Amino acid sequence: IDAIAEFAPHAIMLPKARGGDDAQHLSIKLAVREARLGLADGAIGVLPIATERADALFRLGSYLGATARLIALAWSAEDLTASI
């Protein structure tokens, strides 16, 4: 995160996300980095890859309200198929 945050990307992808708790955890880490770098709070979004794991399908609703940084959810049919 430290190596990427200094470039102020639009978002960071979160692979193998298990649910909203993972997105919230990344959001907290990003808030610390943004503060250190003088970036606006929430400047860097979070884009979880929400279906790389079969058990993650049952937690899709946990993304609701997890973080204001959530900009989208990505899907990985290949990884999901392998997980199943």
Side-chain angles (χ1 to χ4, degrees):
I1 295 172
D2 289 331
I4 295 170
E6 67 180 282
F7 297 104
H10 179 67
I12 292 182
M13 291 189 84
L14 178 59
K16 307 273 188 236
R18 295 169 292 185
D21 289 346
D22 286 350
Q24 185 178 46
H25 185 78
L26 177 57
S27 179
I28 292 166
K29 289 184 173 202
L30 288 172
V32 171
R33 273 45 171 217
E34 289 167 343
R36 287 183 189 158
L37 295 168
L39 300 172
D41 184 38
I44 303 172
V46 173
L47 199 165
I49 303 176
T51 61
E52 286 184 294
R53 303 161 39 113
D55 59 332
L57 289 171
F58 299 103
R59 293 189 207 100
L60 288 175
S62 69
Y63 288 101
L64 292 171
T67 176
R69 294 177 187 274
L70 185 66
I71 62 168
L73 294 175
W75 306 88
S76 177
E78 295 83 9
D79 289 332
L80 178 60
T81 301
S83 176
I84 292 174

